[in-house]
Amino acid sequence: ANMDLYNALDAGALAGVPMVKDDPAQAERTAREYVQLNYPGGLPDAGVTVGFRCLIGAEHGSPRLSDIPMVCDPGAGASWTVEGKIAYAACTPALGHVCNTLVVSSPATVDYNFAPVLGVFDGSTGGRTAAACKGACGEPPEVPVDLVMIIDRTSSMNGVDTDNARRAADSVRRTLDPRLQWLSLSALGPSRIGLTCRTQADSVIGTAHTGDLRRCVPIGLTGRGASFGSDYSSGSSDMARAIACFANSSTGTDLADPVRMATYELETYGRPEAQKAILLLSDGQPNRSTSGTRDYCRESDQAASAAKAKGIEIFTVGFGLDGANDMACPDTTASPWRGRMATDLLASMATDSIKDGGCPGTENSDGDNYYCLPKSTGASADLSDVFRTAVTSLTGHSRLVNAQ
């Protein structure tokens, strides 16, 4: 019976934890349902308790606070328990905390096989607990990933905004493991090739065929071809130098062609076993393309749909599109996107995402693949946390942990 209870609690924690960030209430309901389904005869529901934790890494006996908020966020003043290489703290979704771990507990009254001869027919097992975590869970990402970052560097992203985007892209470079995660950089607008800075802006938009691949994707997937000479972790690598030196472009915002070229890069050079993904940053609606039409938003959404149909996961970041800064699509009257907002488009382009009330502040309370961040000179405008949160979610496996 003890084993039945352990199995039921494990099943409940593992069933509920995939929803722990997106819908904590549903995560709790699912956990309770699976506990009952997996315990013979069921348990008194009132005796089953479900709690939430934020679980991050630990180093030298202390929580690795740099994991917050990209892994989870238990709010200010959290009290941490350190167990080896992990640390965990109580987490309350109702208070706006972002949790990544589900804890399910229950006692059970079980029949005794031999005690009846002493006049004792049953008894309580005492409290039993199971915990499951979704995501990196305190460990470096171990899932193979092929990722293309598409960075907006159009004229509206000048000055501090370009610096912000550069820091965010470089934080991804420093977060991932080159032995497991291959990384590619796409420029928006296109780049000149053959110059010292491979992301120097080009004044001409490409023609969306494979011959233009290296103008839209000047730094291809790092692991292909050579052995470990493609390591991007070094500050002197091609990837690091390209991120450090990209300049602003005046070609306008073309979202469709970079997504198509990123899709081609992943399809042609990516690994069969790797999770393929695109991370797209834009601060406005599209207003250019190579098609000769003005249905820019429709083209962009179609390009994203084609990528998603190939199993590529897409993350989009709307930067500075909060409130009155949101922009309407300039498509023709024949396009269903005419007059719809840039935030609608970016949410539609992302995998399994919807726009939640525009772009009020930092929009990712639902844990989906669409993010918003206002432009500001303050710390709240740092894109690095948003980029790392998106990349960390690519390792979204669930596993049992010791975080009781």
Side-chain angles (χ1 to χ4, degrees):
N2 270 346
M3 187 57 66
D4 288 336
L5 181 58
Y6 282 128
N7 290 340
L9 296 176
D10 287 351
L14 286 169
V17 77
M19 293 160 277
V20 71
K21 284 188 176 180
D22 297 0
D23 191 342
Q26 183 59 48
E28 178 172 350
R29 289 192 293 269
T30 300
R32 290 182 178 277
E33 177 186 355
Y34 273 74
V35 168
Q36 301 296 354
L37 288 172
N38 286 274
Y39 190 80
L43 290 165
D45 191 62
V48 178
T49 60
V50 179
F52 300 87
R53 303 283 187 273
C54 170
L55 189 152
I56 62 176
E59 296 174 344
H60 311 298
S62 299
R64 189 173 61 220
L65 298 180
S66 61
D67 285 358
I68 297 172
M70 66 177 180
V71 173
C72 53
D73 190 351
S79 178
W80 295 95
T81 298
V82 177
E83 299 280 356
K85 293 184 178 181
I86 65 170
Y88 54 89
C91 193
T92 307
L95 297 179
H97 300 167
V98 179
C99 315
N100 65 343
T101 300
L102 199 64
V103 180
V104 185
S105 303
S106 177
T109 300
V110 299
D111 293 333
Y112 289 159
N113 291 328
F114 302 106
V117 299
L118 303 176
V120 180
F121 294 91
D122 57 35
S124 174
T125 63
R128 295 290 183 264
T129 301
C133 178
K134 182 178 187 295
C137 302
E139 297 181 353
E142 295 182 354
V143 175
V145 172
D146 294 339
L147 171 66
V148 179
M149 293 188 294
I150 303 175
I151 306 298
D152 189 339
R153 62 196 184 125
T154 53
S155 56
S156 58
M157 285 284 295
N158 57 14
V160 67
D161 297 333
T162 296
D163 292 340
N164 205 333
R166 186 178 289 119
R167 285 195 305 271
D170 204 52
S171 73
V172 172
R173 177 187 68 83
R174 289 182 284 107
T175 296
L176 297 180
D177 182 346
R179 295 167 296 183
L180 290 170
Q181 288 91 34
W182 291 7
L183 188 59
S184 176
L185 181 66
S186 176
L188 193 176
S191 298
R192 295 182 183 180
I193 302 302
L195 301 179
T196 302
C197 179
R198 291 175 61 186
T199 47
Q200 185 168 331
D202 196 340
S203 60
V204 180
I205 278 191
T207 56
H209 58 70
T210 56
D212 283 327
L213 175 62
R214 292 293 161 236
R215 297 208 304 158
C216 281
V217 187
I219 306 294
L221 285 169
T222 49
R224 66 186 187 89
S227 58
F228 211 55
S230 299
D231 181 1
Y232 53 78
S233 62
S234 166
S236 62
S237 65
D238 285 348
M239 177 67 70
R241 290 201 306 267
I243 290 172
C245 72
F246 67 72
N248 290 114
S249 165
S250 59
T251 58
T253 303
D254 176 6
L255 300 184
D257 292 319
V259 169
R260 293 186 186 117
M261 293 292 95
T263 301
Y264 181 87
E265 176 77 18
L266 291 167
E267 284 277 282
T268 306
Y269 303 115
R271 295 164 292 176
E273 75 278 11
Q275 168 66 59
K276 296 176 176 61
I278 295 170
L279 173 59
L280 166 66
L281 165 71
S282 179
D283 72 340
Q285 90 281 29
N287 53 26
R288 290 291 299 271
S289 78
T290 60
S291 67
T293 74
R294 293 186 63 247
D295 292 340
Y296 307 124
C297 288
R298 179 168 65 179
E299 283 189 55
S300 302
D301 193 53
Q302 289 174 340
S305 295
K308 290 183 284 190
K310 296 176 183 295
I312 297 171
E313 189 161 359
I314 298 182
F315 298 83
T316 58
V317 181
F319 189 36
L321 296 176
D322 46 315
N325 297 319
D326 205 354
M327 303 176 189
C329 289
D331 289 28
T332 67
T333 55
S335 167
W337 281 96
R338 180 176 176 80
R340 294 182 64 184
M341 308 308 288
T343 48
D344 290 308
L345 173 65
L346 291 173
S348 179
M349 292 176 71
T351 302
D352 296 333
S353 298
I354 58 173
K355 186 179 78 169
D356 299 331
C359 199
T362 303
E363 196 283 333
N364 192 242
S365 57
D366 53 1
D368 65 9
N369 284 16
Y370 165 56
Y371 298 78
C372 285
L373 197 69
K375 289 185 179 181
S376 157
T377 57
S380 63
D382 190 353
L383 284 164
S384 299
D385 287 341
V386 172
F387 273 42
R388 290 198 305 266
T389 299
V391 169
T392 299
S393 71
L394 288 169
T395 62
H397 58 288
S398 301
R399 60 185 177 87
L400 295 169
V401 293
N402 179 25
Q404 302 175 11

